[in-house]
Amino acid sequence: MAKVPGSALAASGLIGGYGVARWTRKRQLGGVVLAVAGAAAAHEWRERAGGKAAGALSVAYVAAFAGSHPLAKKVGAWPAVFGAAGAVALASWAVADRRG
């Protein structure tokens, strides 16, 4: 079975978590999506790049989630979420995914 890159998992978690929270009006459900995708991404990062890289990318994932909130006040919710997801995906690719 082909593995899903950590960058795709992380971006999907941020976008999907926000989408689920917004469309269901249940923030906790969006949080579950965010957490499950983040854990899956961390697992991939650990396998591909080791524990230190996985830890750093996990911190970046949480920081992107937190940082998207104040950014949303300036640029709007969806652009902030897409920007945060893109930033984490790029970092993930650079640190873990491009190694194959």
Side-chain angles (χ1 to χ4, degrees), residues 43-78:
H43 177 75
E44 288 301 314
W45 294 329
R46 193 175 315 107
E47 281 189 357
R48 293 177 188 223
K52 287 183 181 182
L57 288 168
S58 295
V59 168
Y61 183 74
V62 173
F65 166 70
S68 69
H69 289 81
L71 182 60
K73 293 178 182 179
K74 296 179 189 284
V75 300
W78 280 112

